[in-house]
Amino acid sequence: MSEGAIGIFDSGLGGLTAVKELVKVLPHEDIIYFGDTARVPYGNRSKKTIIRYAEQDACFLLSKGVKMIIAACGTVSSVAVDLKDELPVPFTGVVVPTAQAAVKATKNGRIGVIGTSATVNSGSYKNEILRADRGIKVFQQDCPLFVSLVENSFISADDEIVKLVVRRYLEGLKNEGIDTLILGCTHFPIISQAISDYLGDGVTLIDSGRETALYAAGLLEKNKLLSMDEGKGSCRYYVSDTVEDFKRTAEIFLGKSVGNEVSHINLEQAVIH
Ligand code: DGL
């Protein structure tokens, strides 16, 4: 039994895909979300910078007394691989749970992976898939513009710009005959309808937010940290840039108002002690 909240962070809005799923899987848990909206995107930055940002994000959540941390960010999960060892609480990223789900889902052994440039260059999902099954063929594509589309509220499947960018990035993977696609950046499920419209019903999309929420629930249980509270958990959001833009897109995406639960913070000074 534990009183603390679950801490989740991402560079911006993407981690809300994990929040949305976590609320379904663990309705009694309190959640504290941090979106580093002042410094998004992370995916085209250096390894050193991504690690520093990830440490500061985690440090902020620790200062809120969280009992577990989820890096709901494909980029951080792929690049800041040692973060887990620096933290005093259980931690998970998105790569392991998502890759495992994709291996289970594929029938023809051809899996596509899309993510930020840092994620794709790290080969994180590919390595994890091949660790599970060396016979699988993995096709990767970085899609950095998807992050900007989402952060700027271009998320409708009917939007011509969204459709155009989806086609430009995914044409190659479609031609490779993949039957499973890992949405390896947590921003991408927000435009999953447009992705699925383009690829068709024959391709299963693996949502890193969903898979990570399920994995995190298992991790809490294993560490005996599940809340024994029967009531509905609360969600509190923190962002490093203005709250207004975050609120607007978060509400569209979560399907409910995040109202007064969003606050601005400055974490430039944060360091893990
Ligand atoms: N949502 C993040 C990810 O999963 C980060 C996108 C970015 O900041 O570039 O990769």
Side-chain angles (χ1 to χ4, degrees):
M1 170 162 101
S2 171
E3 300 293 317
I6 300 172
I8 307 186
F9 73 90
D10 180 43
S11 57
L13 286 152
L16 293 177
T17 56
V19 172
K20 193 175 177 185
E21 298 301 331
L22 208 58
V23 170
K24 287 186 209 158
V25 178
L26 295 169
H28 309 302
E29 298 288 341
D30 292 333
I31 293 171
I32 295 181
Y33 181 81
F34 173 60
D36 195 4
T37 50
R39 304 191 296 196
V40 67
Y42 283 8
N44 49 13
R45 297 186 192 275
S46 69
K47 189 171 174 181
K48 200 170 155 211
T49 301
I50 294 166
I51 291 172
R52 182 163 59 86
Y53 287 179
E55 285 177 347
Q56 290 175 333
D57 301 344
C59 181
F60 167 70
L61 290 173
L62 288 175
S63 76
K64 296 283 166 197
V66 297
K67 61 182 173 183
M68 170 189 206
I69 292 183
I70 302 172
C73 174
T75 306
V76 167
S77 311
S78 299
V79 174
V81 287
D82 295 331
L83 184 62
K84 188 173 189 268
D85 305 324
E86 296 171 35
L87 299 174
V89 295
F91 168 86
T92 183
V94 295
V95 172
V96 173
T98 311
Q100 286 175 357
V103 170
K104 271 195 212 137
T106 185
K107 301 264 187 312
N108 72 0
R110 300 174 79 79
I111 299 178
V113 176
I114 56 174
T116 64
S117 303
T119 296
V120 165
N121 291 339
S122 79
S124 57
Y125 287 101
K126 184 173 180 178
N127 295 340
E128 202 54 43
I129 291 166
L130 296 180
R131 207 192 318 273
D133 184 342
R134 291 216 72 77
I136 290 178
K137 290 263 174 297
V138 183
F139 305 91
Q140 303 192 94
Q141 173 65 54
D142 59 341
C143 306
L145 286 179
F146 283 178
V147 178
S148 309
L149 288 176
V150 169
E151 289 291 329
N152 291 288
S153 306
F154 283 80
I155 57 179
S156 164
D158 298 326
D159 189 297
E160 292 303 322
I161 294 176
V162 176
K163 285 203 240 180
L164 184 70
V165 180
V166 164
R167 195 176 74 232
R168 280 289 285 274
Y169 279 141
L170 301 188
E171 203 164 13
L173 295 181
K174 193 173 182 174
N175 292 339
E176 293 292 354
I178 56 165
D179 74 347
T180 305
L181 178 69
I182 288 184
L183 306 180
C185 168
T186 50
H187 279 69
F188 298 177
I190 299 179
I191 53 164
S192 62
Q193 190 57 54
I195 294 173
S196 148
D197 287 353
Y198 177 69
L199 291 176
D201 290 344
V203 178
T204 304
L205 304 186
I206 309 291
D207 175 337
S208 51
R210 165 124 192 102
E211 299 309 327
T212 304
L214 292 169
Y215 188 87
L219 202 57
L220 277 182
E221 190 170 6
K222 192 171 135 208
N223 285 281
K224 300 195 181 0
L225 286 172
L226 283 168
S227 165
M228 301 307 277
D229 202 331
E230 303 272 290
K232 193 169 170 295
S234 65
C235 284
R236 174 98 224 138
Y237 304 89
Y238 294 87
V239 290
S240 52
D241 205 343
T242 54
V243 298
E244 291 313 318
D245 288 346
F246 177 85
K247 267 192 189 171
R248 199 180 52 248
T249 313
E251 281 173 22
I252 298 171
F253 179 65
L254 293 171
K256 65 178 179 96
S257 162
V258 290
N260 295 329
E261 294 140 29
V262 189
S263 313
H264 170 262
I265 59 128
N266 178 353
L267 50 57
E268 282 294 341
Q269 309 307 326
V271 275
I272 295 181
H273 295 292

